[in-house]
Amino acid sequence: MRERLSARLSSHSFLALPFALWAALFIVLPLFFVLWTGLTDGAGRFTAEHLSTVLQPEYLRALKLSVELALLSTCICLVLAYPLCLILRERRERQGLLVFLLFLLPLWMNSLLTTMAWQTIMEKHGIINMLLSALGLPGVHLINTPAAIVIGMVYNFLPYMVLPLYVSISRIDESIIEAARDLGANPFQTLRRVLLPLSLPGIVSGSTMVFIPSLTTFVISALLGGNKVLLVGNIIEQEFTAAYDWQLGSALSVVLMVFIILNILLEAFTNSGEQGKKRRP
Amino acid sequence: MKKELLRLERVSKSYDGTQILEDLDLTIHENEFVTLLGPSGCGKTTILRLIGGFETPDSGKIWFDGRDITGLQPEKRQVNTVFQKYSLFSHMDVAENIAFGLKLKGKSKSYIRDKIKYALKLVNLESYEHARVTQMSGGQQQRIAIARAIVNEPKVLLLDEPFSALDLKLRQNMQRELVKIKKELGITFVFVTHDQEEALSMSDTVVVINQGWIQQIGTPENVYNEPENAFVADFIGDSNIIDGIMVRDHLVHLLGKDIPCTSAGFGENVPVDVHIRPEDIQICAPEEGQFAGRILHVVFKGTVYDITIEAGGFEWLVQTITGHAQGKEVGLRLMPANIQIMAKPESVDEEAVNDA
């Protein structure tokens, strides 16, 4: 049955043509241009010069900070989303949906708008500091710090963690958890030995979906980091729009892409492990 | 009588305002194979979940070996469960699944290894230690689930319709094997099913339940041959249940005729349910029987023929080994010992029970 279906689909493979054309023209070709620009000089000769420029301390520092902040915001998103998904799993009905939508709300608003809102919240004379001073507490310096950027990332990208994680956790049957309890596992042991391993695909794909945009963002770091905190995204933007050094900008993009490809490979690897589980008798 | 091991005392449970169990009392003994038998939604699985600790009763107590375990967490009960959907851990292989409970209890490596070997041998799956559970058949997965439960040496093994997803042949094999495993282990089994054949062929004791009420507790022969009410008679096996009047002891008025029977103690001229198994009715020549009628239709079922006969204003179901021609005029003969008299339900509650 399955074979026949796949045979029918492959005989209709021409249906994929529009997308294949689209992908070739607007995804593969531009990527090739980025690679080409990053690895050649102005005259079209191959050179590793731009790539080695990336190894200069100021670029490396930005790269390191970008990876660190992206990792940190991924971890925070995971810690926030996991318990939420566990709770949502148990009450799947009406109330669950409401909480779920609440967490997805940032997706429906323009991220530029929400980031600017965070700007006014965290400013020197912003809402947080106004509240603190009203309470007689000393103000905090948040805006233009890495912390502010992480808050912005978490706020904007949390939904991308919640969605795959929820799908993966809600797929775990209640009787699996009951079986673990029945065999002597307390709630914590059940989480560690059964829930976490079974939801690993969700954890990995959620993490990928938060890590990649966090790594490449420049809007959040520009608005919440001022010019004090430079991330790779900001440098790439500057190389293209201010310094007009397309070669260096492309080389930086290529380096960034390596991280992204690594991440996607990790996700593909955990998903292929999951393949066997889908076959239910 | 054997020693009491588990007792539910006036247990009530409701979900979302629907009363599932009310003031249920049930005692289960050591080394007993008890089957909770009833239609779906009758509360049998709820009883099992109360024993397993996955539900807490709204009121009432659960005693285990003389101890009150009503509020005890499932992981602290000396009870293990075999779930309907197998519920194996798909991220572990067979050996890891079986070792799950033992590892949590901090057993030594060699102890765990021996236990896995023993359990796999018991369920006939030696050499499957490192197989992926997701690549096994339903029957194999259920054996692994049994192995995973019994290595923990529970005093009671709970089985929640464990074979309902298996095909008939495999189910019958598993039933035979389960009885063997039970004998080898010598522990109490509480088995939930809606399949009366399964219940009759395996159990020491059958508890027939409907709409949260225990209808009858007895040996398989007991509930089959002497059902206490129309529900039990109808649910277990095929039945002819006819309104009758107990004229006096050993005589029942049935479809206009006085028929001798062996029952006594109902009083005089009391309305009763008369229950006759289809295989207990003999077909004879029209003038020789107590009732005369005509064969409406004949269905060949493999081992027997189901024959519907219209006689005395009632459609009788009769099972015979030899076939009969449709439309033939025949007589029906009833042996006094095969006529089972049951009291009519007294209360509205019981009446509701019998409607199902």
Side-chain angles (χ1 to χ4, degrees):
Chain A
M1 183 67 200
R2 180 174 290 180
E3 277 158 39
R4 244 192 318 171
L5 186 71
S6 66
R8 269 216 325 258
L9 279 179
S10 68
S11 73
H12 288 66
S13 58
F14 67 89
L15 287 175
L17 206 64
F19 176 74
L21 266 176
W22 170 276
L25 270 176
F26 299 112
I27 300 173
V28 179
L29 202 63
L31 274 177
F32 173 75
F33 281 140
V34 171
L35 256 176
W36 191 71
T37 315
L39 294 176
T40 53
D41 60 14
R45 279 186 302 267
F46 176 80
T47 172
E49 186 201 326
H50 312 297
L51 273 181
S52 56
T53 315
V54 174
L55 294 176
Q56 282 171 10
E58 52 169 318
Y59 295 119
L60 277 185
R61 211 179 306 126
L63 198 61
K64 183 165 166 276
L65 186 66
S66 298
V67 172
E68 280 171 0
L69 294 191
L71 275 178
L72 183 63
S73 52
T74 305
C75 290
I76 293 174
C77 283
L78 186 61
V79 168
L80 287 177
Y82 206 91
L84 169 82
C85 291
L86 283 182
I87 295 165
L88 288 180
R89 187 190 158 279
E90 273 167 27
R91 34 188 99 164
R92 226 164 276 181
E93 312 306 311
R94 282 139 281 154
Q95 330 135 280
L97 191 69
L98 195 72
V99 182
F100 195 59
L101 289 179
L102 217 64
F103 268 77
L104 297 189
L105 215 55
L107 274 183
W108 302 350
M109 288 182 289
N110 187 301
S111 68
L112 192 63
L113 201 73
T114 56
T115 308
M116 275 161 33
W118 273 107
Q119 215 176 5
T120 58
I121 292 172
M122 295 192 289
E123 265 168 1
K124 204 168 174 193
H125 301 291
I127 294 170
I128 290 179
N129 281 337
M130 266 163 60
L131 284 175
L132 285 175
S133 70
L135 292 168
L137 295 167
V140 287
H141 179 65
L142 267 177
I143 196 76
N144 301 344
T145 64
I149 297 176
V150 170
I151 291 173
M153 286 174 175
V154 169
Y155 183 83
N156 274 308
F157 302 137
L158 185 60
Y160 299 110
M161 179 66 86
V162 172
L163 277 173
L165 205 54
Y166 175 72
V167 169
S168 147
I169 288 181
S170 63
R171 223 193 269 155
I172 301 173
D173 200 279
E174 182 64 25
S175 71
I176 297 281
I177 294 167
E178 284 178 355
R181 297 293 300 277
D182 186 74
L183 293 164
N186 61 34
F188 175 73
Q189 287 164 326
T190 307
L191 176 70
R192 201 171 72 82
R193 287 170 189 259
V194 177
L195 279 171
L196 278 178
L198 284 176
S199 58
L200 193 65
I203 295 174
V204 173
S205 67
S207 299
T208 307
M209 290 181 74
V210 173
F211 181 76
I212 291 175
S214 299
L215 187 67
T216 52
T217 184
F218 68 93
V219 174
I220 295 172
S221 47
L223 289 177
L224 300 177
N227 281 324
K228 311 269 178 5
V229 189
L230 276 187
L231 298 188
V232 176
N234 304 94
I235 295 178
I236 295 174
E237 193 224 351
Q238 283 171 14
E239 296 301 338
F240 277 95
T241 60
Y244 292 106
D245 190 344
W246 286 27
Q247 272 88 7
L248 183 57
S250 298
L252 274 166
S253 301
V254 169
V255 173
L256 214 50
M257 240 182 288
V258 171
F259 279 91
I260 293 167
I261 288 168
L262 280 178
N263 208 309
I264 290 171
L265 282 180
L266 176 72
E267 191 189 357
F269 180 72
T270 45
N271 275 343
S272 72
E274 173 76 346
Q275 282 301 305
K277 287 173 202 166
K278 283 188 186 141
R279 267 190 53 221
R280 286 258 163 92
Chain B
M1 197 68 210
K2 279 184 273 185
K3 196 179 155 234
E4 171 192 313
L5 182 62
L6 191 65
R7 184 156 52 88
L8 278 71
E9 186 186 307
R10 297 181 65 81
V11 165
S12 298
K13 179 76 190 172
S14 58
Y15 296 106
D16 303 326
T18 315
Q19 190 86 26
I20 305 292
L21 303 173
E22 195 180 328
D23 285 341
L24 181 112
D25 289 298
L26 179 64
T27 305
I28 290 165
H29 302 91
E30 259 179 4
N31 198 10
E32 194 178 15
F33 196 134
V34 184
T35 299
L36 308 179
L37 174 67
S40 46
C42 74
K44 56 193 192 299
T45 297
T46 304
I47 296 175
L48 205 72
R49 294 176 60 79
L50 286 164
I51 300 173
F54 306 116
E55 309 283 352
T56 340
D58 301 334
S59 66
K61 285 201 179 317
I62 301 169
W63 299 89
F64 183 89
D65 222 357
R67 233 173 93 216
D68 180 1
I69 59 158
T70 313
L72 201 67
Q73 296 292 305
E75 65 265 27
K76 295 187 180 127
R77 300 189 180 199
Q78 283 175 294
V79 167
N80 285 109
T81 309
V82 175
F83 293 87
Q84 186 175 8
K85 290 181 273 181
Y86 323 138
S87 303
L88 297 175
F89 305 125
S90 57
H91 59 295
M92 301 177 185
D93 67 15
V94 168
E96 286 169 327
N97 263 282
I98 298 175
F100 187 85
L102 299 174
K103 275 187 192 154
L104 287 169
K105 290 184 188 75
K107 301 286 187 192
S108 75
K109 275 216 171 81
S110 62
Y111 177 87
I112 293 177
R113 204 164 42 235
D114 291 348
K115 270 286 182 187
I116 292 173
K117 265 223 170 70
Y118 169 75
L120 283 177
K121 195 167 177 220
L122 199 62
V123 298
N124 264 328
L125 281 178
E126 289 151 295
S127 81
Y128 275 84
E129 280 177 42
H130 301 293
R132 289 208 66 85
V133 293
T134 45
Q135 279 154 9
M136 304 181 100
S137 70
Q140 289 173 327
Q141 290 196 40
Q142 198 54 283
R143 286 159 201 254
I144 299 301
I146 293 170
R148 182 179 69 174
I150 59 171
V151 290
N152 301 289
E153 300 179 356
K155 288 200 172 169
V156 179
L157 188 69
L158 307 175
L159 301 108
D160 184 9
E161 308 209 23
F163 308 144
S164 59
L166 309 179
D167 61 62
L168 182 66
K169 257 281 167 306
L170 189 55
R171 195 158 68 219
Q172 288 169 343
N173 277 338
M174 291 292 287
Q175 288 165 6
R176 272 195 293 276
E177 275 185 48
L178 193 69
V179 173
K180 245 169 62 193
I181 293 171
K182 161 83 180 55
K183 287 210 174 95
E184 159 93 18
L185 293 174
I187 60 171
T188 302
F189 276 29
V190 182
F191 191 100
V192 159
T193 184
H194 60 264
D195 180 340
Q196 40 111 358
E197 229 178 275
E198 193 166 79
L200 296 180
S201 63
M202 293 191 299
S203 332
D204 301 322
T205 308
V206 177
V207 181
V208 186
I209 303 167
N210 190 32
Q211 297 189 2
W213 300 95
I214 292 179
Q215 304 291 315
Q216 186 171 356
I217 301 179
T219 62
E221 287 90 352
N222 204 237
V223 293
Y224 186 84
N225 292 329
E226 289 150 45
E228 278 172 16
N229 60 39
F231 174 80
V232 178
D234 198 37
F235 191 73
I236 298 177
D238 293 318
S239 296
N240 295 287
I241 298 169
I242 311 161
D243 287 331
I245 292 168
M246 203 64 191
V247 180
R248 54 173 189 271
D249 282 357
H250 311 302
L251 192 68
V252 62
H253 188 77
L254 185 66
L255 302 173
K257 302 219 164 146
D258 285 340
I259 309 283
C261 65
T262 52
S263 302
F266 287 87
E268 290 190 1
N269 295 317
V270 179
V272 290
D273 281 328
V274 179
H275 167 235
I276 302 148
R277 291 286 180 201
E279 68 270 23
D280 290 337
I281 302 171
Q282 291 169 1
I283 295 180
C284 54
E287 61 282 0
E288 288 170 18
Q290 286 146 315
F291 297 96
R294 205 167 55 85
I295 295 180
L296 293 181
H297 33 88
V298 179
V299 179
F300 179 54
K301 297 285 279 287
T303 42
V304 292
Y305 292 87
D306 269 2
I307 301 179
T308 314
I309 298 170
E310 216 249 272
F314 181 79
E315 278 190 17
W316 301 75
L317 176 67
V318 181
Q319 281 170 351
T320 59
I321 302 171
T322 49
H324 288 268
Q326 191 174 324
K328 197 167 93 177
E329 301 288 332
V330 291
L332 300 180
R333 200 160 47 201
L334 308 170
M335 295 287 126
N338 290 334
I339 299 173
Q340 167 79 17
I341 307 292
M342 304 176 297
K344 286 266 185 198
E346 283 162 15
S347 65
V348 183
D349 268 347
E350 267 184 76
E351 189 75 71
V353 165
N354 292 342
D355 285 344

